[in-house]
Amino acid sequence: MASEAQSLLGRDRGGGQAHSGPDASQELCINQAVVFIEDAIMYRSIYHRMDAGSLWLYRWYYSEVCQRVLDFTIFLILALAFVEVPSSFTRTADVRYRSQPWQPPCGLTETVEALCMLVFLADLSVKGYLVGQAQWQQNLWLLAYFVVLVVSAVDWTVSLSRACEEPLRVRRALRPFFLLQNSTMMKKTLKCLRSSLPEMARVGLMLASHLCLFTIIGMLLFTIGERDEAPNKERLAYFQNLPEALTSLLVLLTTSNNPDVMIPAYSQNRAYALFFIIFTLIGSLFLMNLLTAIIYNQFRGYLMKSLQTSLFRRRLGVRAAYEVLASKAGPAGATPEAVGVNPEDFLRVLEKTQLRRIHKQAIMQKVHLCEGRPMLADEFQKLFDEVDKGVIKEHPPKPQYRSAFLRGAQFLFSHRYFDYLGNLVTLGNLLSICVFLVMDSDLLPGERDDFVLGILDYVFVLYYLVEMLLKVFALGLRGYLSNRSNAFDGFLTIIMLVLEISTLAVYPLPHSGRKPERHGPLSLWDMTRLVNILTVLRFLRIVLNVKPMALVASTILGLIQNLKAFGGILVVAYYVFAIIGIDLFRGIIVPPGNSSLAADNSSAPCGSFEQLGYWPNNFDDFAAAVITLWNVMVLNNWQVLLDAYWRYSGPWSTVYFVLWWLVSCVIWVNLFLALLLENFLHRWDPQGGEKLLIGTRQITYHMSVELMFRDILEEPKEEELMEKLNEHPHLKLCR
């Protein structure tokens, strides 16, 4: 009976053969438990084939090498946009000074693209095989993956057949899908966005109603009356027709054109200011902030659901491993709850599992507390709470010196007051640079006397070198490098030392009134500037030693760690809009003199695209398009770009920029704000920032996002876990 139960655990409904022999069956159970635990750790679905060959293929697919190859392939196919026509390989994006870029020959980028698509085809094939045909047909992401590959292959074939001269390449806009489908967190973020759209649409409808209402009122208010002797400047400038009035108030909603849009009317009658003030109060200060609050609330709610799903996957994978190991160890007729998991079997599984060594040690310490008795389901689940704790490395021990004098020096130079002294010296160095910048602000580099500043640079760099050597003496080389602040300081110190030695080798010793000629690629002033820039970077060490600033810095670092999904969504948005912008606006912006539409800077109206010299803001290549979208996202003077593209390409161009404003500023920035608030509130909580490793006192852990909200998440019930396990298409439990 026991062997039958074991064979049932490894039987694949898709036709896999049951393993004969107790050794093969036990090894299969171990491998199944390993895969289940790895799925739980990475929050992956456990619904995949479980026979021996499929387990090997599954672990190979999720190995570090295979995933790195897949990540590099995604990066490579996205980076092709910088190389292929229109190429971004020019020194400047300014249409007045840009040279003819290098264009790759037809077939070069297409060959790279074909190789990437072959990798994606292999990726899709492996995924489809592992999940099985039934799951493959129900998985919308895999079906979309297949459709994108087919469309890309057809478009690639058309491109080659037309000698790469086709005006539109659909596959370029589809490339970000490869990045989306490879990230579970990005999929969850998109799901959160999709679920938040109804609430956002309600506020958006209110915002559109507010905008249309005030547009009509503005058109009626600033119309030219029958008795007006002079033309209405407000109407001629901002309310000449309905589309221009709508655009002017939309820009005012972002406060980018305030008070410019109000000044003509306000100059005629101060009462007109009430129209713009009321519009701004309702739109910018109320509705826009209400939209931010709704997005934050919806995001937090759906983030909780996403994290709840992740927790369920973690518990389900761990429970599946428990059932497999408990059934392996139990006698005939015994249930897994009564048997438990043998610690020795679990240690064999843990040894094969792909997990960080520090986490393995933490789990092993918990296992040793069981003292050899079988682990029950609750104990088995709690073992893997250690995985969510991010590790801060323990500092290596300090060197041991026999001499009392050396021990005293070691204590002195490893004390925090020695760090404070270094901070004061860095601050003094920064202040001296500021003083000389103010004194020499009106002088050209050739007119400056850098004698005092040059001497101070040598003195400060010498101090930084001595400080680094003393810290290495006190902490040891490994101890010094284990501290990121010290490693950063040491790296900068070495670069500054190399620059100062190079300066001494090329130029004479500093003396009053020296005016050396330039030697090599860098002048004396350039080398001095580099040293001073590195000095400013050393000032960052002070940030980590001031508690309020350290809190902000830790929030930023934590944000960067948890920002991969949000950053990926922004990359996808930038990529798609940049490709669409190139297809719509490439060649629209022309330098003055080549078209009657482009006015010379001297004759252009004040504040216009031409007068401000915004010529690099174009869509003539991918890099320029990304920078243009960034400038629109920042919203400073974005009405200038709206006006220019309206004049050069037509009023329909406003739709493109407004859509980009909605995606980047209204949606993504508010989601970013929600994530920032969650990280800051968590780190502000004095009990929420750190956890200690079970059984030790030396190693400290920072919680991940999943563990951050673990206290308010609901633990899955036993019945729910077993129901899902019994629904596994490729695994049969013995009960």
Side-chain angles (χ1 to χ4, degrees), residues 489-519:
D489 287 346
F491 176 72
L492 293 182
T493 299
I494 293 175
I495 295 180
M496 294 167 70
L497 181 63
V498 171
L499 284 174
E500 292 292 357
I501 294 176
S502 302
T503 303
L504 286 175
V506 177
Y507 298 100
L509 290 172
H511 57 82
S512 181
R514 67 169 177 171
K515 307 293 181 185
E517 296 181 357
R518 175 170 177 170
H519 299 285

Side-chain angles (χ1 to χ4, degrees), residues 43 307 356 359 385-392 554-555 557-559 561-562 678-679 681-693 699-713:
Y43 303 105
L307 295 177
R356 295 181 63 179
H359 288 147
D385 289 342
E386 304 299 317
V387 177
D388 287 329
K389 300 174 183 178
V391 184
I392 299 178
S554 63
T555 302
L557 292 176
L559 192 65
Q561 295 173 359
N562 300 321
E678 291 296 335
N679 274 268
L681 292 176
H682 162 66
R683 294 182 184 276
W684 188 262
D685 183 4
Q687 298 180 354
E690 297 181 346
K691 293 275 186 175
L692 289 177
L693 170 64
I699 302 177
T700 305
Y701 287 85
H702 286 307
M703 287 190 286
S704 63
V705 177
E706 288 79 9
L707 196 58
M708 185 190 306
F709 300 100
R710 184 62 54 84
D711 293 338
I712 59 178
L713 296 179

Side-chain angles (χ1 to χ4, degrees), residues 420-438 452-465 467 489 492-493 496-497 500 528-542:
Y420 296 160
L421 176 62
N423 293 339
L424 289 176
V425 173
T426 302
L427 182 60
N429 193 358
L430 188 63
L431 291 176
S432 67
I433 294 174
C434 294
V435 169
F436 282 96
L437 287 176
V438 173
V452 178
L453 184 58
I455 293 296
L456 287 177
D457 284 342
Y458 287 122
V459 172
F460 282 117
V461 170
L462 182 61
Y463 173 82
Y464 298 146
L465 177 62
E467 180 192 34
D489 287 346
L492 293 182
T493 299
M496 294 167 70
L497 181 63
E500 292 292 357
T528 304
R529 282 195 303 172
L530 285 176
V531 173
N532 292 334
I533 289 173
L534 296 176
T535 301
V536 174
L537 292 178
R538 280 185 63 93
F539 181 74
L540 295 176
R541 61 182 285 175
I542 300 179

Side-chain angles (χ1 to χ4, degrees), residues 223-232 268:
T223 186
I224 301 176
E226 295 179 358
R227 299 182 180 180
D228 291 343
E229 297 179 358
N232 192 318
Q268 295 181 5

